[in-house]
Amino acid sequence: MTQPKGRPPALFPLFSDVDTLPGIGPKSRAALAQLGIERPRDLILTLPASGITRRRIARIADARPPEVVTVAVTVGRHHPPTVKGRPWRVHCGDGVGDLTLVFFHPRKEWIEAQLPTGARRVVSGKIELFDGLAQMVHPDHILREDEPALPEFEPVYPLAAGLTRKGMAKAAEAALTRLPHVREWIDPQLVAQRGWPDLATALRRAHDPQSMRDLSPDAPARARLAYDEFLAHQMTLALVRREKRRLKGRPSRGDGRLRRAVLDSLPWPPTGAQRRAVEEIAADMASDRRMNRLLQGDVGSGKTLVAMLAALVAVEAGGQAVMMAPTEILARQHARALEPLARAAGIRLAALTGRDKGDLRAQLLEDLAQGRIDILVGTHAVFQKDVHFHDLRLAIIDEQHRFGVAQRLELSAKGQVPPDMLIMTATPIPRSLALTQYGDLDISILDEKPPGRQPITTVMISDQRLDEVTARLRRVLDQGARAYWVCPLVDESENSDLTAAEARFQSLRAQFGETVRLVHGQMPPDQRDAAMADFAQGRAQLLVATTVIEVGVDVPQATIMVIERAESFGLAQLHQLRGRVGRGTGASTCLLMYHPPLNESGARRLTTLRDTEDGFRIAEVDLEMRGAGDVIGTAQSGLPRFRIADLEHQAGLMAVARQDARALLDRDPALESPRGQAIRMLMWLMSQDEAIRLISVG
Ligand SMILES: Nc1ncnc2c1ncn2[C@@H]1O[C@H](COP(=O)(O)OP(=O)(O)OP(=O)(O)O)[C@@H](O)[C@H]1O
């Protein structure tokens, strides 16, 4: 295996092919590859995931089945199967009690050699009761009495077909011998304060746990290794961040005139969180470094205004701003929401999506290039080749978790003088994940709702009470209320959602008449816009919808939301959906209609939602229930795959690692000090090769 330029020779043995280890042949090599293990380095970072405690008992009668035990027995008679498909049974005993060993399809020679009648053997495995008799199916170990005793605790590695536990443990042991001596890269104070062992000791202990306690994320060895992984990752993010900041931006300073005009036009003052976020953004934009900031806002926290004020900084400075949304619907919605604000500021705002074609589009592009448009809102169409700005100073990206670090870097490469970047996300994500995925960005958080909002009353109700729900709906609609009715996510295919939504629409229309509208993603855009507009302006009172209304829809007069088959939605999605109500000063209600019986996960999601409206709290529960990868999305999210660290349980360490990484780079930009050198070693060890290249530019 060729070693990349710059990798310290001391690490070569760890990065050679895994089959250079003794005892690893082509078969094991293939099996290990299934686990993503290709080099000895991968082996040392693949830790036991769980463990088995095997109690040693003196007599069979001492077992408390079902239980994994080790016990000495005398082998009795063999009972080979008389009927095909039946197991081979071997009777054993210890003079007092009996134990039957059960084997499916054993090789005759093997089993007779392993368990000769009359011999003494130590067997270890799970004892179960079968028809009141003790039996052990496929013992994990069969030993002679003179063989070394089995340890009471046995680590369990992740296994793939073709690998045995023993084989894994041996391979890991062999790989560990290739670990060179390395200088400590962790801050000595942190090491002392947490009582962490050095790398080699930590690895040895992590591979040789003595009890379940040693496997917990808090065990010093595992905590240290998790921190190492976080630190390497955060070093990379810190380097990427530095690299981006190095990209000179142009300072955009406004006189505040346009921002004031917008604020004066609003009936309410900005919240403290909005004010803070705008200040942070304006300060970034005023500096001569490029802004790379993430604006994270809970539902209904008022991100739109913040985005608009940011855009106005660019316009006040004589430039333009662009805002990009992930979908056509969202882009249109943003444009609609920003339009009145643009009017108040007396500036020109235009929307551009894939839908725009022909002369209109050509005219729009011309206006944009001439600087006659100040703010452009759209889908990714705004970044097409033929779209030229007169003077683009700010790009706002409403991303919904769609981009990873790599994509962000790519985007920022667009344009000659790359604009400041503001990334907005409407889904609160737990801090640990934010630091993982967005560690290269600075973060502003909107965690405060505009004043005057009343808590949303959230109720769980069985769909067997559908009639009560519609009766109640009739009463409130008669009083002039506006309501959403969200149809279930039947399965992955959009068509079946559609059928469900259409069927529900028909039945509600039969009951409530003309005031019901339907929106779904496959409607012609004009019809969809018309239905939305009818609802927003009060010409319709009940909007039946699929999840297209999940984000961005803002109709403050809507106060009721019914979510059908609520248990079929994820937590974050439910939170977003519910966020469509409770956006005005009226009291709002959300009915989570479920189809009984609820399973455990469904129940937990719905009760969590019922009990809190705090998106950040909900995000934590979501993370706990689903794990990091699922919360952020698939591999394309840019979320790194940690081998050891556990984001759910070691989130605190991530924050420490981020701080340490940034401080380290500030003090030692080229990583030349002894500790800097050690950090380089860590980064090589963790395969952060790309990032290492960014160091030298330091
Ligand atoms: N400071 C404020 N005081 C009162 N109302 C506000 C304030 N800021 C925004 N609003 C109003 O709150 C509502 C929600 O704002 P906005 O649509 O910007 O939320 P959002 O953060 O985009 O939410 P979501 O992600 O849920 O769509 C809008 O009707 C907006 O006019």
Side-chain angles (χ1 to χ4, degrees):
M1 188 170 279
T2 52
Q3 308 274 351
K5 204 168 139 248
R7 178 182 286 156
L11 290 181
F12 288 1
L14 273 180
F15 281 88
S16 61
D17 277 322
V18 76
D19 59 8
T20 58
L21 290 171
I24 308 268
K27 260 206 198 135
S28 315
R29 181 194 153 116
L32 287 167
Q34 292 168 46
L35 296 173
I37 298 176
E38 292 173 353
R39 314 140 195 269
R41 191 284 313 262
D42 305 335
L43 265 174
I44 68 172
L45 296 183
T46 304
L47 300 184
S50 59
I52 297 175
T53 309
R54 34 182 96 248
R55 202 159 63 88
R56 205 187 154 91
I57 51 177
R59 298 176 318 165
I60 296 168
D62 296 336
R64 299 183 290 255
E67 184 190 20
V68 178
V69 294
T70 304
V71 65
V73 295
T74 305
V75 181
R77 282 186 54 190
H78 281 236
H79 300 271
T82 47
V83 182
K84 216 171 151 209
R86 291 279 171 79
W88 184 305
R89 296 170 179 278
V90 184
H91 282 298
C92 299
D94 60 6
V96 187
D98 293 327
L99 176 66
T100 306
L101 305 182
V102 179
F103 298 85
F104 288 90
H105 314 295
R107 265 196 11 259
K108 183 167 182 293
E109 305 74 40
W110 176 82
I111 196 166
E112 284 172 354
Q114 286 284 310
L115 296 161
T117 302
R120 290 283 293 168
R121 286 291 181 266
V122 174
V123 294
S124 186
K126 192 189 220 171
I127 289 200
E128 291 159 313
L129 286 185
F130 187 75
D131 282 345
L133 301 172
Q135 70 169 33
M136 188 183 281
V137 181
H138 288 260
D140 302 328
H141 302 273
I142 302 171
L143 306 173
R144 289 188 313 275
E145 278 187 308
D146 57 354
E147 288 185 82
L150 286 171
E152 286 217 356
F153 186 77
E154 181 181 292
V156 175
Y157 284 95
L159 283 185
L163 285 173
T164 60
R165 287 180 198 163
K166 235 195 200 153
M168 244 341 243
K170 271 212 166 126
E173 209 179 299
L176 274 174
T177 62
R178 301 223 175 152
L179 185 73
H181 172 74
V182 293
R183 204 196 312 250
E184 182 59 88
W185 44 68
I186 307 181
D187 177 4
Q189 260 186 331
L190 188 62
V191 172
Q193 176 206 336
R194 306 250 174 171
W196 284 343
D198 63 34
L199 177 74
T201 313
L203 280 169
R204 270 200 313 276
R205 276 196 213 153
H207 279 281
D208 185 24
Q210 301 301 313
S211 67
M212 286 309 276
R213 240 200 6 252
D214 288 349
L215 290 172
S216 105
D218 301 329
R222 288 185 88 108
R224 186 227 144 95
L225 297 172
Y227 176 84
D228 287 340
E229 233 182 351
F230 285 149
L231 184 61
H233 174 64
Q234 289 297 330
M235 277 311 295
T236 294
L237 290 176
L239 284 162
V240 170
R241 173 173 179 257
R242 181 174 79 181
E243 185 65 15
K244 284 198 204 160
R245 296 184 135 216
R246 194 191 312 283
L247 298 166
K248 275 264 185 263
R250 267 176 319 154
S252 296
R253 257 183 229 106
D255 54 9
R257 190 171 40 89
L258 300 176
R259 280 170 278 171
R260 253 191 316 280
V262 165
L263 290 175
D264 287 347
S265 77
L266 295 174
W268 28 256
T271 64
Q274 284 171 322
R275 212 186 286 272
R276 246 186 337 270
V278 173
E279 272 165 22
E280 286 164 351
I281 292 165
D284 279 4
M285 290 179 70
S287 90
D288 60 2
R289 277 185 306 216
R290 280 192 61 205
M291 170 167 79
N292 275 293
R293 188 168 280 279
L294 171 72
L295 176 65
Q296 239 204 102
D298 202 350
V299 286
S301 57
K303 286 181 293 295
T304 315
L305 178 65
V306 175
M308 184 63 179
L309 295 175
L312 289 179
V313 175
V315 181
E316 284 170 11
Q320 294 165 302
V322 63
M323 179 163 173
M324 188 181 93
T327 65
E328 163 108 27
I329 298 193
L330 266 179
R332 298 266 163 212
Q333 251 146 34
H334 281 319
R336 248 199 311 275
L338 294 177
E339 187 53 56
L341 304 178
R343 234 176 296 127
I347 59 150
R348 292 144 304 179
L349 178 138
L352 175 67
T353 68
R355 233 204 273 173
D356 300 297
K357 304 248 154 64
D359 290 350
L360 272 175
R361 180 170 194 275
Q363 182 60 50
L364 195 145
L365 294 189
E366 171 68 17
D367 287 346
L368 192 67
Q370 297 300 323
R372 290 191 292 266
I373 290 171
D374 302 301
I375 299 179
L376 183 68
V377 181
T379 53
H380 57 273
V382 299
F383 284 119
Q384 273 159 8
K385 269 214 188 70
D386 59 343
V387 179
H388 301 288
F389 290 84
H390 177 63
D391 181 14
L392 181 62
R393 281 172 179 261
L394 172 67
I396 303 172
I397 296 173
D398 184 349
E399 75 156 11
Q400 296 298 317
H401 296 165
R402 296 237 158 97
F403 295 131
V405 179
Q407 284 105 322
R408 286 201 296 275
L409 264 176
E410 201 176 289
L411 248 184
S412 59
K414 287 214 191 284
Q416 277 144 355
V417 183
D420 283 325
M421 296 257 278
L422 179 66
I423 291 159
M424 293 207 299
T425 157
T427 313
I429 42 181
R431 190 172 147 74
S432 60
L433 284 192
L435 293 186
T436 308
Q437 218 211 352
Y438 300 108
D440 58 323
L441 305 179
D442 298 302
I443 302 183
S444 296
I445 289 183
L446 294 182
D447 52 2
E448 183 184 341
K449 291 248 165 83
R453 300 274 167 88
Q454 298 186 37
I456 302 171
T457 310
T458 301
V459 183
M460 292 163 64
I461 187 166
S462 150
D463 62 4
Q464 286 159 354
R465 294 164 65 191
L466 179 67
D467 289 348
E468 281 172 53
V469 172
T470 46
R472 178 161 169 200
L473 200 58
R474 174 175 298 282
R475 274 201 304 279
V476 293
L477 291 182
D478 283 348
Q479 289 160 12
R482 265 177 259 176
Y484 296 100
W485 188 296
V486 180
C487 290
L489 218 53
V490 176
D491 62 31
E492 296 294 305
S493 99
E494 238 179 272
N495 288 337
S496 50
D497 291 0
L498 211 57
T499 330
E502 255 155 10
R504 182 57 71 205
F505 170 66
Q506 297 301 345
S507 84
L508 288 171
R509 185 148 244 208
Q511 291 179 65
F512 298 107
E514 284 299 305
T515 199
V516 189
R517 296 286 187 282
L518 173 67
V519 288
H520 58 72
Q522 288 167 18
M523 250 172 160
D526 300 348
Q527 281 181 30
R528 197 170 57 207
D529 288 354
M532 281 302 312
D534 283 349
F535 183 70
Q537 286 150 25
R539 288 189 296 276
Q541 282 180 282
L542 182 58
L543 190 69
V544 179
T546 57
T547 51
V548 290
I549 59 155
E550 188 180 334
V551 276
V553 173
D554 184 42
V555 181
Q557 298 84 352
T559 52
I560 313 262
M561 167 157 289
V562 179
I563 305 180
E564 231 183 291
R565 285 265 179 165
E567 75 277 13
S568 67
F569 298 96
L571 249 182
Q573 203 174 18
L574 286 169
H575 177 61
Q576 287 294 334
L577 283 168
R578 177 176 60 179
R580 299 313 107 205
V581 295
R583 299 172 82 88
T585 45
S588 296
T589 306
C590 176
L591 298 177
L592 303 172
M593 223 181 349
Y594 63 89
H595 186 66
L598 271 179
N599 65 19
E600 197 184 319
S601 145
R604 172 118 195 253
R605 273 177 281 137
L606 299 193
T607 50
T608 302
L609 206 75
R610 182 192 63 197
D611 297 342
T612 181
E613 264 187 74
D614 177 348
F616 289 90
R617 168 82 199 110
I618 289 171
E620 296 288 351
V621 176
D622 201 21
L623 174 63
E624 201 183 300
M625 289 184 67
R626 291 198 295 151
D630 285 340
V631 172
I632 290 276
T634 46
Q636 56 157 349
S637 66
L639 193 74
R641 179 177 151 256
F642 292 111
R643 289 167 191 265
I644 296 170
D646 168 354
L647 272 177
E648 286 100 278
H649 297 107
Q650 293 169 314
L653 282 181
M654 175 66 96
V656 180
R658 165 159 129 142
Q659 227 170 30
D660 290 354
R662 288 190 174 186
L664 225 123
L665 258 196
D666 283 346
R667 271 202 312 273
D668 181 11
L671 298 181
E672 284 165 333
S673 66
R675 210 174 137 216
Q677 297 281 350
I679 289 271
R680 284 170 185 250
M681 189 65 120
L682 167 70
M683 293 180 68
W684 282 113
L685 188 65
M686 298 292 179
S687 292
Q688 307 288 316
D689 301 16
E690 296 288 322
I692 292 172
R693 256 170 241 134
L694 296 176
I695 300 174
S696 47
V697 234

